[in-house]
mmCIF file of all heavy atoms in Angstrom:
data_model
loop_
_atom_site.group_PDB
_atom_site.id
_atom_site.type_symbol
_atom_site.label_atom_id
_atom_site.label_comp_id
_atom_site.label_asym_id
_atom_site.label_seq_id
_atom_site.Cartn_x
_atom_site.Cartn_y
_atom_site.Cartn_z
ATOM 1 N N GLU M 265 0.829 -1.212 0.000
ATOM 2 C CA GLU M 265 0.000 0.000 0.000
ATOM 3 C C GLU M 265 0.864 1.262 0.000
ATOM 4 O O GLU M 265 0.418 2.318 -0.442
ATOM 5 C CB GLU M 265 -0.938 -0.007 1.209
ATOM 6 C CG GLU M 265 -2.064 -1.033 1.088
ATOM 7 C CD GLU M 265 -2.990 -1.036 2.291
ATOM 8 O OE1 GLU M 265 -2.596 -0.532 3.368
ATOM 9 O OE2 GLU M 265 -4.115 -1.562 2.170
ATOM 10 N N GLN M 266 2.069 1.133 0.505
ATOM 11 C CA GLN M 266 2.988 2.277 0.513
ATOM 12 C C GLN M 266 3.860 2.325 -0.734
ATOM 13 O O GLN M 266 4.704 3.219 -0.873
ATOM 14 C CB GLN M 266 3.874 2.215 1.767
ATOM 15 C CG GLN M 266 3.103 2.384 3.069
ATOM 16 C CD GLN M 266 3.963 2.094 4.293
ATOM 17 O OE1 GLN M 266 4.761 1.159 4.309
ATOM 18 N NE2 GLN M 266 3.823 2.929 5.316
ATOM 19 N N GLY M 267 3.661 1.363 -1.638
ATOM 20 C CA GLY M 267 4.431 1.323 -2.875
ATOM 21 C C GLY M 267 5.822 0.750 -2.736
ATOM 22 O O GLY M 267 6.664 0.895 -3.633
ATOM 23 N N HIS M 268 6.094 0.057 -1.623
ATOM 24 C CA HIS M 268 7.420 -0.514 -1.374
ATOM 25 C C HIS M 268 7.454 -1.967 -1.869
ATOM 26 O O HIS M 268 7.545 -2.911 -1.080
ATOM 27 C CB HIS M 268 7.757 -0.444 0.117
ATOM 28 C CG HIS M 268 7.770 0.950 0.658
ATOM 29 N ND1 HIS M 268 7.542 1.249 1.991
ATOM 30 C CD2 HIS M 268 7.978 2.149 0.048
ATOM 31 C CE1 HIS M 268 7.610 2.570 2.173
ATOM 32 N NE2 HIS M 268 7.877 3.121 1.003
ATOM 33 N N TYR M 269 7.395 -2.156 -3.166
ATOM 34 C CA TYR M 269 7.253 -3.491 -3.733
ATOM 35 C C TYR M 269 8.520 -4.340 -3.567
ATOM 36 O O TYR M 269 8.445 -5.515 -3.194
ATOM 37 C CB TYR M 269 6.887 -3.374 -5.222
ATOM 38 C CG TYR M 269 5.633 -2.556 -5.451
ATOM 39 C CD1 TYR M 269 5.694 -1.325 -6.101
ATOM 40 C CD2 TYR M 269 4.402 -2.999 -4.985
ATOM 41 C CE1 TYR M 269 4.549 -0.565 -6.293
ATOM 42 C CE2 TYR M 269 3.242 -2.252 -5.169
ATOM 43 C CZ TYR M 269 3.330 -1.028 -5.818
ATOM 44 O OH TYR M 269 2.190 -0.286 -5.981
ATOM 45 N N ARG M 270 9.668 -3.770 -3.840
ATOM 46 C CA ARG M 270 10.917 -4.522 -3.686
ATOM 47 C C ARG M 270 11.163 -4.872 -2.219
ATOM 48 O O ARG M 270 11.600 -5.971 -1.887
ATOM 49 C CB ARG M 270 12.086 -3.715 -4.244
ATOM 50 C CG ARG M 270 13.423 -4.457 -4.144
ATOM 51 C CD ARG M 270 14.534 -3.701 -4.835
ATOM 52 N NE ARG M 270 14.303 -3.632 -6.281
ATOM 53 C CZ ARG M 270 15.118 -3.015 -7.115
ATOM 54 N NH1 ARG M 270 16.214 -2.401 -6.659
ATOM 55 N NH2 ARG M 270 14.860 -3.003 -8.405
ATOM 56 N N GLN M 271 10.839 -3.938 -1.327
ATOM 57 C CA GLN M 271 10.993 -4.183 0.112
ATOM 58 C C GLN M 271 10.085 -5.324 0.548
ATOM 59 O O GLN M 271 10.471 -6.175 1.352
ATOM 60 C CB GLN M 271 10.654 -2.907 0.880
ATOM 61 C CG GLN M 271 10.886 -3.003 2.390
ATOM 62 C CD GLN M 271 10.528 -1.704 3.095
ATOM 63 O OE1 GLN M 271 10.256 -0.682 2.461
ATOM 64 N NE2 GLN M 271 10.520 -1.742 4.412
ATOM 65 N N ALA M 272 8.873 -5.364 0.007
ATOM 66 C CA ALA M 272 7.930 -6.432 0.349
ATOM 67 C C ALA M 272 8.456 -7.787 -0.097
ATOM 68 O O ALA M 272 8.369 -8.786 0.628
ATOM 69 C CB ALA M 272 6.570 -6.154 -0.294
ATOM 70 N N LEU M 273 9.028 -7.845 -1.303
ATOM 71 C CA LEU M 273 9.584 -9.099 -1.816
ATOM 72 C C LEU M 273 10.770 -9.559 -0.978
ATOM 73 O O LEU M 273 10.884 -10.743 -0.623
ATOM 74 C CB LEU M 273 10.004 -8.921 -3.273
ATOM 75 C CG LEU M 273 10.582 -10.163 -3.969
ATOM 76 C CD1 LEU M 273 9.575 -11.309 -3.950
ATOM 77 C CD2 LEU M 273 10.996 -9.827 -5.391
ATOM 78 N N ASN M 274 11.631 -8.639 -0.618
ATOM 79 C CA ASN M 274 12.783 -8.986 0.215
ATOM 80 C C ASN M 274 12.354 -9.473 1.594
ATOM 81 O O ASN M 274 12.926 -10.411 2.151
ATOM 82 C CB ASN M 274 13.726 -7.784 0.352
ATOM 83 C CG ASN M 274 14.485 -7.480 -0.927
ATOM 84 O OD1 ASN M 274 14.677 -8.375 -1.752
ATOM 85 N ND2 ASN M 274 14.904 -6.235 -1.097
ATOM 86 N N PHE M 275 11.337 -8.820 2.152
ATOM 87 C CA PHE M 275 10.812 -9.240 3.456
ATOM 88 C C PHE M 275 10.290 -10.671 3.369
ATOM 89 O O PHE M 275 10.572 -11.501 4.246
ATOM 90 C CB PHE M 275 9.700 -8.297 3.912
ATOM 91 C CG PHE M 275 8.966 -8.786 5.139
ATOM 92 C CD1 PHE M 275 9.475 -8.551 6.406
ATOM 93 C CD2 PHE M 275 7.769 -9.487 5.019
ATOM 94 C CE1 PHE M 275 8.807 -9.011 7.546
ATOM 95 C CE2 PHE M 275 7.101 -9.942 6.146
ATOM 96 C CZ PHE M 275 7.623 -9.705 7.406
ATOM 97 N N ALA M 276 9.514 -10.965 2.310
ATOM 98 C CA ALA M 276 8.949 -12.309 2.156
ATOM 99 C C ALA M 276 10.050 -13.359 2.090
ATOM 100 O O ALA M 276 9.956 -14.430 2.717
ATOM 101 C CB ALA M 276 8.087 -12.369 0.894
ATOM 102 N N ARG M 277 11.107 -13.066 1.372
ATOM 103 C CA ARG M 277 12.217 -14.021 1.258
ATOM 104 C C ARG M 277 12.908 -14.248 2.594
ATOM 105 O O ARG M 277 13.189 -15.388 2.988
ATOM 106 C CB ARG M 277 13.228 -13.502 0.235
ATOM 107 C CG ARG M 277 12.753 -13.601 -1.214
ATOM 108 C CD ARG M 277 13.703 -12.878 -2.141
ATOM 109 N NE ARG M 277 13.351 -13.052 -3.551
ATOM 110 C CZ ARG M 277 13.785 -12.270 -4.526
ATOM 111 N NH1 ARG M 277 14.612 -11.259 -4.241
ATOM 112 N NH2 ARG M 277 13.417 -12.491 -5.768
ATOM 113 N N GLN M 278 13.164 -13.164 3.318
ATOM 114 C CA GLN M 278 13.873 -13.303 4.593
ATOM 115 C C GLN M 278 12.985 -13.911 5.667
ATOM 116 O O GLN M 278 13.432 -14.735 6.470
ATOM 117 C CB GLN M 278 14.407 -11.933 5.037
ATOM 118 C CG GLN M 278 15.492 -11.395 4.114
ATOM 119 C CD GLN M 278 16.140 -10.144 4.678
ATOM 120 O OE1 GLN M 278 16.812 -10.178 5.711
ATOM 121 N NE2 GLN M 278 15.944 -9.017 3.999
ATOM 122 N N TRP M 279 11.727 -13.513 5.690
ATOM 123 C CA TRP M 279 10.776 -14.077 6.655
ATOM 124 C C TRP M 279 10.710 -15.593 6.493
ATOM 125 O O TRP M 279 10.637 -16.342 7.476
ATOM 126 C CB TRP M 279 9.398 -13.450 6.434
ATOM 127 C CG TRP M 279 8.327 -13.976 7.347
ATOM 128 C CD1 TRP M 279 7.963 -13.479 8.563
ATOM 129 C CD2 TRP M 279 7.471 -15.110 7.112
ATOM 130 N NE1 TRP M 279 6.944 -14.229 9.106
ATOM 131 C CE2 TRP M 279 6.628 -15.245 8.236
ATOM 132 C CE3 TRP M 279 7.343 -16.027 6.069
ATOM 133 C CZ2 TRP M 279 5.666 -16.236 8.345
ATOM 134 C CZ3 TRP M 279 6.385 -17.037 6.182
ATOM 135 C CH2 TRP M 279 5.565 -17.139 7.304
ATOM 136 N N SER M 280 10.743 -16.059 5.258
ATOM 137 C CA SER M 280 10.553 -17.481 4.956
ATOM 138 C C SER M 280 11.713 -18.361 5.377
ATOM 139 O O SER M 280 11.585 -19.590 5.394
ATOM 140 C CB SER M 280 10.306 -17.657 3.453
ATOM 141 O OG SER M 280 9.174 -16.924 3.033
ATOM 142 N N THR M 281 12.853 -17.780 5.721
ATOM 143 C CA THR M 281 14.018 -18.582 6.116
ATOM 144 C C THR M 281 13.957 -19.034 7.573
ATOM 145 O O THR M 281 14.763 -19.864 7.992
ATOM 146 C CB THR M 281 15.325 -17.791 5.901
ATOM 147 O OG1 THR M 281 15.327 -16.636 6.754
ATOM 148 C CG2 THR M 281 15.464 -17.358 4.441
ATOM 149 N N TRP M 282 13.010 -18.516 8.333
ATOM 150 C CA TRP M 282 12.903 -18.888 9.744
ATOM 151 C C TRP M 282 12.255 -20.261 9.885
ATOM 152 O O TRP M 282 11.528 -20.718 8.997
ATOM 153 C CB TRP M 282 12.089 -17.841 10.506
ATOM 154 C CG TRP M 282 12.820 -16.554 10.715
ATOM 155 C CD1 TRP M 282 13.296 -15.715 9.750
ATOM 156 C CD2 TRP M 282 13.148 -15.949 11.970
ATOM 157 N NE1 TRP M 282 13.914 -14.626 10.317
ATOM 158 C CE2 TRP M 282 13.830 -14.740 11.680
ATOM 159 C CE3 TRP M 282 12.939 -16.289 13.294
ATOM 160 C CZ2 TRP M 282 14.301 -13.900 12.687
ATOM 161 C CZ3 TRP M 282 13.399 -15.450 14.298
ATOM 162 C CH2 TRP M 282 14.081 -14.271 13.982
ATOM 163 N N PRO M 283 12.462 -20.957 11.032
ATOM 164 C CA PRO M 283 11.863 -22.286 11.239
ATOM 165 C C PRO M 283 10.333 -22.247 11.140
ATOM 166 O O PRO M 283 9.693 -21.272 11.548
ATOM 167 C CB PRO M 283 12.313 -22.651 12.668
ATOM 168 C CG PRO M 283 13.554 -21.854 12.885
ATOM 169 C CD PRO M 283 13.353 -20.569 12.140
ATOM 170 N N ASP M 284 9.772 -23.316 10.598
ATOM 171 C CA ASP M 284 8.319 -23.482 10.464
ATOM 172 C C ASP M 284 7.674 -22.401 9.607
ATOM 173 O O ASP M 284 6.499 -22.057 9.792
ATOM 174 C CB ASP M 284 7.645 -23.521 11.849
ATOM 175 C CG ASP M 284 8.098 -24.719 12.658
ATOM 176 O OD1 ASP M 284 8.269 -25.801 12.068
ATOM 177 O OD2 ASP M 284 8.291 -24.566 13.881
ATOM 178 N N ARG M 285 8.443 -21.811 8.707
ATOM 179 C CA ARG M 285 7.902 -20.842 7.760
ATOM 180 C C ARG M 285 8.319 -21.271 6.357
ATOM 181 O O ARG M 285 9.236 -22.069 6.186
ATOM 182 C CB ARG M 285 8.428 -19.433 8.043
ATOM 183 C CG ARG M 285 8.147 -18.903 9.441
ATOM 184 C CD ARG M 285 8.715 -17.498 9.579
ATOM 185 N NE ARG M 285 8.675 -16.994 10.951
ATOM 186 C CZ ARG M 285 9.173 -15.827 11.324
ATOM 187 N NH1 ARG M 285 9.750 -15.035 10.424
ATOM 188 N NH2 ARG M 285 9.104 -15.419 12.581
ATOM 189 N N SER M 286 7.654 -20.732 5.365
ATOM 190 C CA SER M 286 8.018 -21.028 3.984
ATOM 191 C C SER M 286 7.511 -19.915 3.087
ATOM 192 O O SER M 286 6.569 -19.189 3.448
ATOM 193 C CB SER M 286 7.427 -22.365 3.526
ATOM 194 O OG SER M 286 6.011 -22.264 3.421
ATOM 195 N N LEU M 287 8.117 -19.796 1.919
ATOM 196 C CA LEU M 287 7.679 -18.791 0.960
ATOM 197 C C LEU M 287 6.253 -19.093 0.493
ATOM 198 O O LEU M 287 5.455 -18.178 0.271
ATOM 199 C CB LEU M 287 8.633 -18.762 -0.234
ATOM 200 C CG LEU M 287 8.662 -17.476 -1.070
ATOM 201 C CD1 LEU M 287 8.950 -16.248 -0.207
ATOM 202 C CD2 LEU M 287 9.704 -17.596 -2.175
ATOM 203 N N LYS M 288 5.926 -20.384 0.392
ATOM 204 C CA LYS M 288 4.575 -20.781 -0.002
ATOM 205 C C LYS M 288 3.546 -20.299 1.003
ATOM 206 O O LYS M 288 2.504 -19.735 0.642
ATOM 207 C CB LYS M 288 4.503 -22.307 -0.139
ATOM 208 C CG LYS M 288 3.123 -22.827 -0.529
ATOM 209 C CD LYS M 288 3.134 -24.353 -0.607
ATOM 210 C CE LYS M 288 1.745 -24.888 -0.930
ATOM 211 N NZ LYS M 288 1.730 -26.383 -0.994
ATOM 212 N N HIS M 289 3.834 -20.508 2.292
ATOM 213 C CA HIS M 289 2.900 -20.062 3.326
ATOM 214 C C HIS M 289 2.790 -18.542 3.323
ATOM 215 O O HIS M 289 1.696 -17.984 3.503
ATOM 216 C CB HIS M 289 3.341 -20.549 4.697
ATOM 217 C CG HIS M 289 2.466 -20.082 5.816
ATOM 218 N ND1 HIS M 289 1.179 -20.529 5.983
ATOM 219 C CD2 HIS M 289 2.678 -19.168 6.808
ATOM 220 C CE1 HIS M 289 0.629 -19.924 7.024
ATOM 221 N NE2 HIS M 289 1.519 -19.097 7.542
ATOM 222 N N CYS M 290 3.907 -17.876 3.132
ATOM 223 C CA CYS M 290 3.898 -16.417 3.082
ATOM 224 C C CYS M 290 2.996 -15.930 1.948
ATOM 225 O O CYS M 290 2.179 -15.021 2.126
ATOM 226 C CB CYS M 290 5.319 -15.901 2.883
ATOM 227 S SG CYS M 290 5.471 -14.107 2.982
ATOM 228 N N PHE M 291 3.125 -16.565 0.780
ATOM 229 C CA PHE M 291 2.301 -16.206 -0.369
ATOM 230 C C PHE M 291 0.819 -16.418 -0.057
ATOM 231 O O PHE M 291 -0.029 -15.591 -0.404
ATOM 232 C CB PHE M 291 2.719 -17.044 -1.578
ATOM 233 C CG PHE M 291 1.873 -16.815 -2.796
ATOM 234 C CD1 PHE M 291 1.977 -15.622 -3.521
ATOM 235 C CD2 PHE M 291 0.973 -17.775 -3.224
ATOM 236 C CE1 PHE M 291 1.189 -15.399 -4.641
ATOM 237 C CE2 PHE M 291 0.187 -17.561 -4.345
ATOM 238 C CZ PHE M 291 0.296 -16.371 -5.057
ATOM 239 N N LYS M 292 0.504 -17.531 0.624
ATOM 240 C CA LYS M 292 -0.886 -17.811 0.989
ATOM 241 C C LYS M 292 -1.470 -16.711 1.868
ATOM 242 O O LYS M 292 -2.621 -16.310 1.704
ATOM 243 C CB LYS M 292 -0.978 -19.154 1.725
ATOM 244 C CG LYS M 292 -0.941 -20.373 0.836
ATOM 245 C CD LYS M 292 -1.144 -21.620 1.698
ATOM 246 C CE LYS M 292 -1.181 -22.866 0.849
ATOM 247 N NZ LYS M 292 -1.400 -24.081 1.684
ATOM 248 N N THR M 293 -0.679 -16.235 2.827
ATOM 249 C CA THR M 293 -1.194 -15.202 3.724
ATOM 250 C C THR M 293 -1.459 -13.895 2.983
ATOM 251 O O THR M 293 -2.404 -13.178 3.305
ATOM 252 C CB THR M 293 -0.221 -14.936 4.892
ATOM 253 O OG1 THR M 293 1.000 -14.372 4.394
ATOM 254 C CG2 THR M 293 0.067 -16.199 5.681
ATOM 255 N N VAL M 294 -0.634 -13.599 1.989
ATOM 256 C CA VAL M 294 -0.836 -12.376 1.210
ATOM 257 C C VAL M 294 -2.086 -12.502 0.347
ATOM 258 O O VAL M 294 -2.904 -11.573 0.275
ATOM 259 C CB VAL M 294 0.396 -12.073 0.332
ATOM 260 C CG1 VAL M 294 0.132 -10.858 -0.551
ATOM 261 C CG2 VAL M 294 1.622 -11.829 1.202
ATOM 262 N N VAL M 295 -2.263 -13.656 -0.291
ATOM 263 C CA VAL M 295 -3.451 -13.876 -1.126
ATOM 264 C C VAL M 295 -4.707 -13.813 -0.271
ATOM 265 O O VAL M 295 -5.708 -13.182 -0.643
ATOM 266 C CB VAL M 295 -3.358 -15.238 -1.857
ATOM 267 C CG1 VAL M 295 -4.672 -15.564 -2.555
ATOM 268 C CG2 VAL M 295 -2.216 -15.220 -2.855
ATOM 269 N N ALA M 296 -4.674 -14.467 0.905
ATOM 270 C CA ALA M 296 -5.831 -14.444 1.801
ATOM 271 C C ALA M 296 -6.155 -13.023 2.246
ATOM 272 O O ALA M 296 -7.320 -12.667 2.428
ATOM 273 C CB ALA M 296 -5.568 -15.332 3.019
ATOM 274 N N GLU M 297 -5.126 -12.229 2.403
ATOM 275 C CA GLU M 297 -5.311 -10.848 2.830
ATOM 276 C C GLU M 297 -6.062 -10.036 1.772
ATOM 277 O O GLU M 297 -6.795 -9.100 2.095
ATOM 278 C CB GLU M 297 -3.937 -10.219 3.095
ATOM 279 C CG GLU M 297 -3.966 -8.840 3.688
ATOM 280 C CD GLU M 297 -4.641 -8.794 5.043
ATOM 281 O OE1 GLU M 297 -4.601 -9.785 5.779
ATOM 282 O OE2 GLU M 297 -5.239 -7.743 5.356
ATOM 283 N N CYS M 298 -5.889 -10.408 0.529
ATOM 284 C CA CYS M 298 -6.499 -9.656 -0.578
ATOM 285 C C CYS M 298 -7.813 -10.272 -1.044
ATOM 286 O O CYS M 298 -8.509 -9.677 -1.883
ATOM 287 C CB CYS M 298 -5.527 -9.588 -1.759
ATOM 288 S SG CYS M 298 -3.961 -8.770 -1.353
#
C-alpha cells in the first residue's frame, strides 16, 4: 500500500528462512489478505 514493492519481496524471502515458515505459506497469507 505504501508502494514498497521490492521491500515487500525482500521481506517475504527473509521471513521465509525462519523455522516453520516457507515462501509458499507467506504467499498464501498475502493472497488471503487480498
Side-chain angles (χ1 to χ4, degrees):
E265 288 180 341
Q266 295 171 320
H268 300 155
Y269 304 113
R270 181 174 294 179
Q271 185 180 351
L273 181 59
N274 288 335
F275 171 83
R277 287 171 175 162
Q278 293 188 66
W279 179 91
S280 301
T281 63
W282 287 61
D284 296 322
R285 302 180 189 177
S286 69
L287 202 55
K288 179 182 177 181
H289 178 69
C290 186
F291 176 72
K292 281 184 177 181
T293 66
V294 176
V295 172
E297 186 61 30
C298 300

